[in-house]
Amino acid sequence: MSQSNHATMTNPKKLSIPKYIIMSILTIFSIGPQYFLNLSYTVGQSVIQNGLHLSAQEMLIPSSLSSLAFALGIPLGRVFSKKFGLRNFYLSLVFVFLCGTIIDALSYNITTLIIGRVIQGLSAGMLFLTILSAKFLSFPNHLRQFFMFSVVVGLFGASAIGAIFGTISLSTDAWRWLYIINIFCSLLCLCVGFVTLPKQKAEQKEKTVINKNGLLLLGLLTAAFAFPILNLQEKGFDSVYVWPFLVIAIILMTLLFKNDSRNEFPIVPIRALAQPKAVFGTVMAAAGHISLIVIFVGVNGYMRTIKNVSFIDFTYFYCCFFIGIVISAILCALFYDRWGAGILGIVGSILTVIVSMKWSSIQPEASLTTLNFQMACLGFGLSMTFISGAIGTLFAGNAHQASSRSASLHTIRNYAGAVFAPFLGWFLYLLNANQYEKQIGQLSQIDTIADINAKKAAILSTYHGLFAILLILGVIMLIASIGKMATGKGHALVKKEKTTV
């Protein structure tokens, strides 16, 4: 993690509250709202859609662009945080996020909603590694294991809490209050950060060389991805707004990696992941990230269209997911140093595989109690595999390259997630259409009731296919976790001697 952040945090103002608690608050309430809003938006999408009189296709645009902006922000934050220092960078970006949240809270059409979500995504992405690095360095060596606990519960858990609040927005038929909550979160961060974050002295400022060619290529790559992301589901893969831009994106990605491999100051330091331990950890985290997308798409659809559950049952469902995350966070904090990322990842991925196998043939009459338990298992398994992969990659080699490995991992997984989501939607649309045609073809007589039953059967088969994808991802996580274990446990989170990361 960057030396500039360490220098910034070495002489903080004397506080009665421990520094690591202050940094945990600044991290959770500045980055957590982005995860919170992503899931509350997804779960409560119909409320926003009806309130602003938007189409289903229009509703996909803000969330897709916000995810892409977040991915872009991660490497940008790594570059510019060194130039401006933690205090100025943090307070400025929290203020920008606040402005985006206010725009969304006051939105009256799709344009303002998109502007607000993109501002939120970009500012949160730029903050992500900067504040996480400072937070890690703020933890005393003997309490480093609780860093994992706070990250899992605070950030991974923010997604679950966002889903819970999204179900509440459905029951209240209101959505602006979700953004108002996050306005207060940003104001809290501004107040606490202004009081506690130390000013950076002139001699502590780090001279940075910005790789302008890399920045240009990264910006062009992000723009190239935006076209297929926005047009794939509506226009199809053969559209001139889709496949040509994917080809361009692949070319730009190749040029970016070539540029960064030769540059002393890479935008995405992909060569830092050259060791097998880092590769396996990256696969664990990236597959876990994508699995989370698959789960929320699948369970939202199944619970609402197949089970037709009440809002309170829906809320309990996501509460169980959060409980699984909390249990995972406790076990990661207690056993990471003893078992290592590989074994923890194996445990988490096996649970994911077991539940995926059950859900790949799930039926409408499935018990809610069983589903709640299985959702808790997924919360436990996915968060454990994800955080084990992320932390395992951070410590998978030379300590001086830790920040570079982390930057590459989180850039890769967020771009992969941003691109995967619309492709998943397109695949499910085609699968549902094919299943519907298959169901209709088996009928000797078609009437209204038969047509409705055919549609329900097609939707259920589509969710079976979706959970089969989750099963494949679970197997990938399991293989990567075994590889992680086989290549060594890696560095311990808590060391006997004091080290600088």
Side-chain angles (χ1 to χ4, degrees):
M1 296 185 183
S2 72
Q3 198 68 24
S4 61
N5 285 340
H6 181 262
T8 305
M9 293 306 299
T10 51
N11 293 307
K13 294 179 180 179
K14 192 173 182 180
L15 299 170
S16 58
I17 302 175
K19 182 172 57 178
Y20 63 89
I21 294 180
I22 294 293
M23 293 309 302
S24 295
I25 292 172
L26 293 178
T27 302
I28 292 169
F29 288 96
S30 60
I31 302 175
Q34 173 67 10
Y35 293 99
F36 174 94
L37 290 173
N38 283 347
L39 269 297
S40 62
Y41 182 94
T42 299
V43 175
Q45 183 172 312
S46 60
V47 178
I48 303 176
Q49 182 178 340
N50 295 334
L52 298 181
H53 307 291
L54 303 175
S55 66
Q57 180 62 30
E58 286 177 319
M59 285 298 296
L60 297 175
I61 299 175
S63 57
S64 298
L65 290 182
S66 180
S67 297
L68 194 60
F70 186 89
L72 173 63
I74 289 176
L76 293 184
R78 178 176 175 270
V79 172
F80 292 109
S81 63
K82 297 178 182 179
K83 184 177 180 65
F84 298 108
L86 178 63
R87 177 186 172 87
N88 293 336
F89 197 68
Y90 180 85
L91 295 177
S92 298
L93 287 176
V94 169
F95 178 75
V96 172
F97 187 91
L98 172 63
C99 292
T101 308
I102 293 173
I103 291 172
D104 274 342
L106 301 176
S107 287
Y108 57 90
N109 59 24
I110 185 62
T111 302
T112 51
L113 193 63
I114 291 173
I115 292 172
R117 293 295 288 133
V118 169
I119 290 174
Q120 290 169 334
L122 185 61
S123 56
M126 293 180 72
L127 269 177
F128 183 77
L129 284 181
T130 304
I131 193 64
L132 273 182
S133 299
K135 176 183 175 180
F136 178 82
L137 293 169
S138 71
F139 273 76
N141 186 53
H142 66 284
L143 293 177
R144 283 277 165 88
Q145 67 270 29
F146 294 105
F147 168 79
M148 291 187 71
F149 176 84
S150 63
V151 168
V152 176
V153 174
L155 300 184
F156 213 98
S159 295
I161 294 174
I164 293 170
F165 275 69
T167 61
I168 296 174
S169 72
L170 290 173
S171 63
T172 59
D173 196 29
W175 59 274
R176 296 184 190 273
W177 61 275
L178 295 171
Y179 292 88
I180 293 173
I181 289 175
N182 286 280
I183 288 175
F184 286 107
C185 289
S186 296
L187 291 174
L188 173 65
C189 290
L190 285 175
C191 294
V192 175
F194 183 82
V195 172
T196 61
L197 291 177
K199 294 180 180 180
Q200 190 177 36
K201 297 178 182 179
E203 61 270 19
Q204 290 178 327
K205 290 188 176 179
E206 186 175 338
K207 292 183 179 180
T208 57
V209 178
I210 297 177
N211 180 358
K212 295 180 180 179
N213 290 335
L215 279 179
L216 176 62
L217 288 170
L218 183 67
L220 292 174
L221 174 65
T222 306
F225 273 137
F227 281 89
I229 283 174
L230 297 180
N231 294 291
L232 178 59
Q233 190 163 335
E234 185 178 23
K235 299 182 183 297
F237 192 82
D238 57 349
S239 169
V240 294
Y241 293 99
V242 178
W243 71 264
F245 289 96
L246 286 176
V247 173
I248 293 172
I250 293 173
I251 295 173
L252 289 170
M253 192 184 307
T254 304
L255 292 175
L256 177 63
F257 288 160
K258 184 178 180 180
N259 173 80
D260 282 354
S261 65
R262 297 177 176 178
N263 199 293
E264 186 181 355
F265 304 97
I267 299 299
V268 183
I270 194 71
R271 62 177 180 264
L273 299 177
Q275 296 185 5
K277 287 191 293 186
V279 173
F280 287 128
T282 300
V283 173
M284 290 166 64
H289 179 84
I290 294 174
S291 296
L292 186 66
I293 296 172
V294 174
I295 286 173
F296 282 112
V297 170
V299 298
N300 282 338
Y302 173 81
M303 295 294 281
R304 295 190 65 183
T305 61
I306 303 298
K307 291 293 288 183
N308 194 26
V309 297
S310 65
F311 292 129
I312 188 65
D313 287 333
F314 213 4
T315 303
Y316 289 153
F317 188 63
Y318 283 117
C319 285
C320 291
F321 185 73
F322 180 70
I323 291 171
I325 291 173
V326 173
I327 296 173
S328 167
I330 294 171
L331 293 182
C332 283
L334 293 176
F335 296 108
Y336 179 84
D337 283 349
R338 187 178 304 174
W339 292 352
I343 293 179
L344 290 175
I346 289 172
V347 173
S349 54
I350 286 176
L351 273 178
T352 303
V353 167
I354 292 173
V355 175
S356 302
M357 291 176 65
K358 296 287 185 180
W359 284 10
S360 60
S361 58
I362 195 169
Q363 296 300 316
E365 60 272 13
S367 165
L368 280 178
T369 302
T370 301
L371 289 173
N372 287 338
F373 174 74
Q374 290 170 340
M375 193 62 171
C377 289
L378 284 178
F380 176 92
L382 275 182
S383 59
M384 178 170 282
T385 305
F386 174 87
I387 196 64
S388 297
I391 297 295
T393 301
L394 179 68
F395 292 112
N398 191 317
H400 296 291
Q401 292 293 316
S403 64
S404 296
R405 288 191 296 272
S406 186
S408 296
L409 180 152
H410 291 295
T411 300
I412 289 171
R413 75 170 179 87
N414 278 284
Y415 270 104
V419 175
F420 177 82
F423 271 86
L424 180 65
W426 169 72
F427 172 77
L428 294 179
Y429 176 81
L430 290 182
L431 183 60
N432 183 63
N434 291 334
Q435 290 295 332
Y436 176 70
E437 291 296 330
K438 182 179 179 181
Q439 294 291 332
I440 289 295
Q442 295 175 352
L443 299 176
S444 57
Q445 182 179 358
I446 302 176
D447 53 27
T448 303
I449 296 178
D451 183 62
I452 292 174
N453 291 333
K455 288 179 178 178
K456 286 184 177 181
I459 292 173
L460 183 60
S461 296
T462 300
Y463 290 131
H464 288 166
L466 180 63
F467 294 131
I469 294 174
L470 181 62
L471 175 59
I472 294 172
L473 290 168
V475 172
I476 292 173
M477 288 189 291
L478 179 58
I479 294 172
S481 298
I482 294 173
K484 184 71 174 171
M485 181 186 66
T487 53
K489 190 166 66 170
H491 296 282
L493 195 65
V494 179
K495 293 180 176 291
K496 292 182 180 179
E497 71 279 2
K498 189 176 181 180
T499 58
T500 299
V501 178

